[in-house]
Amino acid sequence: MNKPLKQHLIDPEICIRCYTCEMTCPVEAITHDDSNVVVDAEKCDFCMDCIPVCPTGSIDEWRVVETPYSLDDQFGWDELPEQQEIGEAAGGVEALDAAMEALLAEAHKGAGGKSKAPKSASKASVNLYNLGKPATAKVTGNFRLTADESGADVRHIILDFGAQPFPVLEGQSIGIIPPGTDADGKAHLPRLYSVSSPRDGERPNYNNLSLTVKREEKGLCSNYVCDLKIGDEVKITGPFGATFLMPEDPAARLLMVCTGTGSAPFRAFTMRRQRSAGATGDMTMFFGARTPDSLPYFGPLKKVPERLLKKHLVFSRLADQPKEYVQDRMMNEQEALADLLADPNTHIYICGLRGMEQGVEEAFRSISESTGLSWDATRDAMRDEGRYHVETY
Ligand code: NAP
């Protein structure tokens, strides 16, 4: 009998096909087909470089196997196989040796960690459309959200799916395939965008959704999307993501921390709560942008009543004020945040720039520790209960 070995795998249900792991892997062990991103057991040397860069934690899967799953096996999966009973190695992840655990612990320091959906979340549909079989959506809106003089060109894009089923939940993403080919003549990979509308459509009961897209200088897909005209047809993959979802429990309290276009899912969360009567749990948002005229949805957000959404709009580049980041404002709101952290109904969501993650965690740590709570234990328990979610790029 073969000696059991550890195999590194990717969870196809949670993976959002951003291909960051594939671009990061130094030994080219990660590859994809039209459907899945997979790991070649013969090439993977467990360097762990891919762990911290994955925005969903779908990369952090391990199985103890006698014969490794082949690439073809993995390409065919809709979900990960369970750990099989294997002689002495039964118990799977526990069989990871100490060196491996140390590597993982080190890699997890910078990672969002392995995320779980909230217990009361609706079941997300994932991967209905892929590179080989994309959906086609028609552009029905393209509105600039930021002032010309702000320097940022952020767009609200509305896509209509007509008669094709394209169910999304708040917090999910879709892929857009930019037309054309790369320098090697290969089709471009899709770029991911968070959906910024709720599940029943940008317009209630229409089969449409919205995205919040910032034009990036030389950005291949962002320029394509920001220049789309009404009536244009766009190739779409997805939907993706099965963990950064909102709880259905009306008593759940939502704490949302974002920068820039990272606000997209929180627009969707807020609209979902606005459209569904009976929510008793409060919502609090810390939203960072350079200036009010570069903060997406500044006008509409200001109109959302404080009793529904407590808003902390934080600006880093106001002429007459010192630079302020979301984590600075969090430190000024210690009492309210300590109350939220102590409440088992609280769900935390962090979305936006990768750089913010560390500062936001430090603020949580300081606030928890001031009340005698260990932040690491609180965060890990929340994550385990599907109440702590990070998606940063
Ligand atoms: P941005 O305009 O570059 O920045 C927004 C604000 O964040 C600015 O006030 C900026 O301040 C501040 N900031 C910079 N570094 C920070 C730090 N270390 N801690 C806290 N705040 C910091 O933002 P953007 O261009 O819209 O970018 C949004 C990011 O979100 C992108 O990386 C995008 O990929 C990501 N995103 C993620 C998702 C997702 O995960 N699902 C969805 C949408 C967008 P200064 O510039 O003044 O330093």
Side-chain angles (χ1 to χ4, degrees):
M1 199 167 85
N2 287 337
K3 191 169 172 287
L5 52 89
K6 292 170 285 270
Q7 183 171 11
H8 184 196
L9 297 167
I10 297 174
D11 187 333
E13 281 187 289
I14 297 176
C15 170
I16 52 178
R17 278 73 173 167
C18 63
Y19 309 100
T20 312
C21 55
E22 184 172 335
M23 290 180 260
T24 305
C25 179
V27 294
E28 297 183 358
I30 302 182
T31 178
H32 69 272
D33 72 350
D34 283 353
S35 300
N36 288 346
V37 186
V38 301
V39 187
D40 187 336
E42 284 184 20
K43 291 187 184 162
C44 175
D45 61 4
F46 303 107
C47 71
M48 307 293 173
D49 284 4
C50 57
I51 306 289
V53 298
C54 172
T56 64
S58 59
I59 192 85
D60 195 3
E61 288 292 344
W62 310 87
R63 294 289 182 273
V64 180
V65 292
E66 277 167 5
T67 310
Y69 293 106
S70 69
L71 294 181
D72 281 342
D73 290 337
Q74 298 175 56
F75 285 141
W77 287 343
D78 290 326
E79 56 184 46
L80 271 186
E82 294 289 321
Q83 172 63 52
Q84 302 294 311
E85 293 277 314
I86 299 175
E88 290 169 25
V93 176
E94 281 87 305
L96 293 178
D97 58 35
M100 180 92 162
E101 280 190 29
L103 273 170
L104 268 172
E106 192 54 36
H108 280 155
K109 276 187 191 157
K114 209 158 153 180
S115 170
K116 279 191 191 162
K119 285 197 180 80
S120 67
S122 303
K123 174 92 179 121
S125 303
V126 291
N127 311 326
L128 300 178
Y129 299 90
N130 62 26
L131 277 166
K133 189 184 71 89
T136 304
K138 203 165 250 185
V139 178
T140 56
N142 178 348
F143 308 100
R144 185 164 176 160
L145 295 168
T146 47
D148 285 354
E149 52 278 12
S150 72
D153 183 1
V154 182
R155 302 271 167 162
H156 184 66
I157 307 285
I158 304 173
L159 299 174
D160 192 286
F161 288 86
Q164 293 156 105
F166 203 95
V168 287
L169 292 177
E170 305 79 16
Q172 286 194 287
S173 309
I174 64 166
I176 292 193
I177 308 176
T181 51
D182 64 16
D184 300 326
K186 285 200 220 135
H188 293 297
L189 284 179
R191 308 300 199 268
L192 267 189
Y193 296 96
S194 293
V195 173
S196 56
S197 52
R199 67 189 72 183
D200 58 339
E202 169 67 10
R203 184 168 168 187
N205 305 318
Y206 275 65
N207 190 19
N208 64 7
L209 56 76
S210 69
L211 306 174
T212 313
V213 181
K214 182 178 177 183
R215 190 188 293 278
E216 300 290 345
E217 208 187 327
K218 300 197 181 129
L220 173 88
C221 196
S222 72
N223 278 292
Y224 163 64
V225 174
C226 289
D227 290 336
L228 284 168
K229 307 273 177 300
I230 308 288
D232 284 352
E233 291 196 337
V234 184
K235 298 278 178 227
I236 309 283
T237 60
F240 299 120
T243 62
F244 198 96
L245 303 175
M246 64 187 292
E248 284 300 291
D249 176 5
R253 305 175 72 190
L254 310 187
L255 172 56
M256 304 173 279
V257 185
C258 60
T259 49
T261 53
S263 57
F266 303 147
R267 177 181 185 269
F269 286 13
T270 305
M271 288 174 78
R272 168 73 181 159
R273 278 267 171 110
Q274 279 177 308
R275 287 186 193 172
S276 39
T280 51
D282 55 7
M283 296 194 290
T284 305
M285 171 189 263
F286 289 82
F287 185 168
R290 292 181 178 180
T291 54
D293 63 4
S294 69
L295 186 139
Y297 310 109
F298 183 72
L301 249 182
K302 294 279 276 187
K303 290 193 193 133
V304 179
E306 283 287 308
R307 65 180 154 69
L308 183 75
L309 177 68
K310 290 188 196 75
K311 298 175 284 287
H312 296 279
L313 306 183
V314 181
F315 301 110
S316 60
R317 302 200 195 184
L318 287 180
D320 51 354
Q321 279 179 36
K323 193 176 192 76
E324 189 181 16
Y325 279 167
V326 280
Q327 56 268 39
D328 303 322
R329 182 66 66 88
M330 288 168 67
M331 291 305 295
N332 290 339
E333 294 292 323
Q334 294 208 26
E335 213 174 304
L337 288 176
D339 168 58
L340 279 162
L341 286 178
D343 188 337
N345 279 333
T346 299
H347 292 246
I348 296 177
Y349 297 85
I350 302 166
C351 187
L353 294 168
R354 174 136 283 185
M356 76 190 271
E357 205 178 314
Q358 192 187 353
V360 168
E361 274 235 29
E362 274 163 19
F364 278 133
R365 182 179 304 282
S366 163
I367 295 165
S368 316
E369 289 173 1
S370 72
T371 65
L373 285 176
S374 148
W375 167 243
D376 289 335
T378 305
R379 180 202 53 214
D380 292 351
M382 289 187 81
R383 194 181 271 147
D384 218 44
E385 293 161 14
R387 298 193 294 117
Y388 187 78
H389 308 269
V390 181
E391 246 182 54
T392 55
Y393 296 106

